[in-house]
Structure formats: C-alpha cells, structure tokens
C-alpha cells in the first residue's frame, strides 16, 4: 500500500472510532447539559454524566448514555433512535409528561429509577429491553410495539404493565405491586413468567388475547381475580401459585386454554371459576 493511501486509511479509521463525552455542570466536561452532549456526539459514542440534576432531552442518535453515581433527569427522555443504551439514571418527568418514551427499536433501559404522576415508560418501538429498573408511577409501562421485554424490575403502580394490540414480548422476574398487575389486551404471543404479584384488584388479565403463556408466577395479597381470562383462546396458564384471592383463576367466555399444574389455595370464592367457557383443558 502506498504511504499516502495508508495514511488516509488510518485517518478514516480514527474518525470512525467511537468517542466518550463527559457531561459536567462545571468546567471539566465536554458539555454542561445532556442536550449539548447529544448534539455534539456522533452515532456510537458514549456519554458519561457526572452527578447532578439535568434537564430532559431527545435522543436522536444511537448512543450509550451512562450515569456516574447519582444523576437526576428533571424532565422527559425521548429515545427516538435505534440501538441506544441508557443506564443508571433517576428520571422525574414534569407534570403529566411520560418519563421515558421508547419510539426507536433495539434500545436498552438498564438500572434506572423512574417516578412520576402519570406514565413512567411508553414503548411504541420494537425489540426494546427494560431491565433492572425501579418504577413508581400510576401507570408503569405501556407497550404498543412488538417483541419488547420488561425483566427483573420492581414496579409499584395502579396499572403496572399494559400491553395493547401487539404481538410478542416477555415480562419476567419482576416484583409487581399494583391494582392491576399485567394487563394484556388484544395481543398474542406474550410470555409472563416468574413474576411476583401483589395487590387488591387483578393480577394478570388477558382480554381478547390468544396464544399467550402465563406460567410460574406467584400471586398474593387478596386480588379480586388473580389470573383473569376473558374472551380469549389458546392460552397456556400453567404452574402458577395463587394464595388468598377472591377468585384464583377466572375463565369467562374463553376457549381452548391449557390450565394445568396451578396451585390455588385459601381463595375466598373459588379456585377456578369458568363461566361461558368451553374446550379448556384443566
């Protein structure tokens, strides 16, 4: 390779390498605000945020955004780009704004704490992951896109997770305390496994949904109906442990569901209640 061509090649390689930008409200960083750091960054860069309080921002590039110790975002975080990783942030939206919007695909929200008075996380993109987060908000996670997951998270809400008109997805290993735990509406191929749910309303609700898997979950604390299935078909409801509900498993107008190896104990009215249902396997 000729020397001049080799030097040009090395310069191009160096220009394509990812960089790290530091956000610091003082003078030692590359930017004082998250907004400025995102503006300065190139796709694939890492943004490290020093402790402090920062305004919300729109993430429109594929970036790795990580908190160093305690970082609070006073506002919303709108992630529109694909392939972002956001970790370790405390996010407190203003008013009734959604705290985190995942409109892009293949994004990861890891180890964040989210509090608010409305919706914590709204997911409209595909293949996003919410992991190891703590959520305390009236509406926890709302999912409208396909093949998203919520794992190993603690959620306290009126409705913890709502999945609406979509296909594919995974809710697993979560600690949920809510009036309504996991609400699955007009959806299919959702898996809810190994979750611990407590509350006084409804634990897992399937409405007009089919081919979903609800297994190995634990329900306690007096739900009206722990596993409530209405007008649904072909769902797999197995190996769940339900204690102290008014009704353990309710099948209303549902067909062709597999309801096996569940433990329903000390329920007030019924372990399994079937009304207008048929061709289910118990």
């Amino acid at each position: 390779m000729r020397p001049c061509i080799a030097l040009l090649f090395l310069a191009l390689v160096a220009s394509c390498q990812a960089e790290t930008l530091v956000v610091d409200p003082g003078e030692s960083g590359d930017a004082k605000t998250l907004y400025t750091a995102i503006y300065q960054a190139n796709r694939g860069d890492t943004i490290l945020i020093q402790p402090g309080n920062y305004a919300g921002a729109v993430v429109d590039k594929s970036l790795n955004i990580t908190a160093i110790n305690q970082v609070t975002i006073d506002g919303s975080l709108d992630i529109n780009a694909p392939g972002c990783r956001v970790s370790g942030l405390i996010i407190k939206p203003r008013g009734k704004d959604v705290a985190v919007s995942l409109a892009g695909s293949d994004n990861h929200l890891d180890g964040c704490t989210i509090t608010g008075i409305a919706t914590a996380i709204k997911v409209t993109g595909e293949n996003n992951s919410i992991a190891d987060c703590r959520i305390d908000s009236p509406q926890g996670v709302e999912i409208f896109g396909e093949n998203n997951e919520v794992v190993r998270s603690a959620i306290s809400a009126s409705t913890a997770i709502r999945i609406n008109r979509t296909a594919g997805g995974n809710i697993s290993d979560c600690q949920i305390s809510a009036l309504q735990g996991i609400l699955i509406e007009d959806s299919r191929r959702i898996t809810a496994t190994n979750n611990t749910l407590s509350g006084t309303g409804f634990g897992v609700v399937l409405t007009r949904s089919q081919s979903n898997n609800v297994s190995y979950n634990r329900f306690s604390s007096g739900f009206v109906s722990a596993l409530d299935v209405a007008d649904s078909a072909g769902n797999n409801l197995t190996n769940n442990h339900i204690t102290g509900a008014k009704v353990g498993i309710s099948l209303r107008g549902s067909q062709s569901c597999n309801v096996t190896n569940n433990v329903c104990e000390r329920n007030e009215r019924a372990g399994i209640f079937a009304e207008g249902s048929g061709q289910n396997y118990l």
Side-chain angles (χ1 to χ4, degrees):
M1 186 180 291
R2 294 173 60 183
C4 60
I5 297 176
L7 289 173
L8 179 59
F9 176 77
L10 292 173
L12 288 172
V13 170
S15 67
C16 294
Q17 291 178 343
E19 297 184 355
T20 298
L21 289 79
V22 176
V23 180
D24 191 328
E27 301 295 333
S28 61
D30 300 290
K32 292 184 178 181
T33 67
L34 178 57
Y35 169 84
T36 304
I38 293 170
Y39 178 79
Q40 293 176 350
N42 295 310
R43 185 176 63 183
D45 285 353
T46 294
I47 295 176
L48 299 179
I49 309 177
Q50 295 284 0
N53 287 50
Y54 301 86
V58 175
V59 184
D60 56 1
K61 304 171 186 175
S62 301
L63 300 170
N64 179 5
I65 300 174
T66 303
I68 300 175
N69 296 322
Q70 185 161 322
V71 172
T72 299
I73 303 298
D74 291 319
S76 298
L77 203 62
D78 296 328
I79 303 174
N80 299 326
C84 297
R85 183 177 292 274
V86 176
S87 56
L89 302 179
I90 300 170
I91 303 170
K92 297 180 178 180
R94 297 176 180 174
K96 295 183 178 180
D97 292 340
V98 174
V100 180
S101 174
L102 293 172
S105 300
D106 302 302
N107 295 298
H108 295 266
L109 187 69
D110 298 330
C112 292
T113 299
I114 303 168
T115 61
I117 63 171
T119 300
I121 304 172
K122 182 177 181 180
V123 186
T124 55
E126 300 179 354
N127 300 310
N128 295 287
S129 175
I130 301 164
D132 302 299
C133 291
R134 298 188 64 85
I135 298 169
D136 187 354
S137 185
Q139 302 298 318
V141 183
E142 294 188 330
I143 298 175
F144 303 97
E146 295 188 359
N147 298 314
N148 295 285
E149 69 171 7
V150 183
V151 297
R152 300 184 306 277
S153 295
I155 305 174
S156 177
S158 178
T159 299
I161 299 172
R162 180 189 176 212
I163 302 170
N164 181 263
R165 297 183 183 276
T166 189
N170 174 42
I171 312 298
S172 62
D173 301 297
C174 292
Q175 301 284 330
I176 295 173
S177 175
L179 186 63
Q180 290 191 117
I182 302 171
L183 178 58
I184 301 171
E185 305 168 317
D186 301 290
S187 296
R188 65 189 188 277
R189 294 189 286 104
I190 308 298
T191 297
T193 60
N194 296 313
N195 301 290
T196 300
L197 301 101
S198 62
T200 57
F202 297 86
V204 175
V205 178
L206 300 175
T207 304
R208 300 177 302 278
S209 296
Q210 60 184 359
S211 303
N212 300 289
N213 179 38
V214 182
S215 301
Y216 294 98
N217 301 287
R218 298 185 67 86
F219 301 82
S220 62
S221 298
F223 284 112
V224 172
S225 180
L227 183 46
D228 196 79
V229 185
D231 303 317
S232 298
N235 296 291
N236 187 53
L237 317 171
T238 63
N239 297 287
N240 298 287
H241 192 283
I242 301 168
T243 304
K246 288 182 171 58
V247 176
I249 300 173
S250 177
L251 303 171
R252 293 176 288 112
S254 295
Q255 312 292 323
S256 304
C257 293
N258 176 29
V259 187
T260 58
N261 293 327
N262 299 287
V263 176
C264 300
E265 58 183 2
R266 297 194 298 276
N267 298 297
E268 182 180 323
R269 297 177 185 171
I272 298 175
F273 174 75
E275 181 180 27
S277 299
Q279 298 180 336
N280 296 294
Y281 181 72
L282 277 65

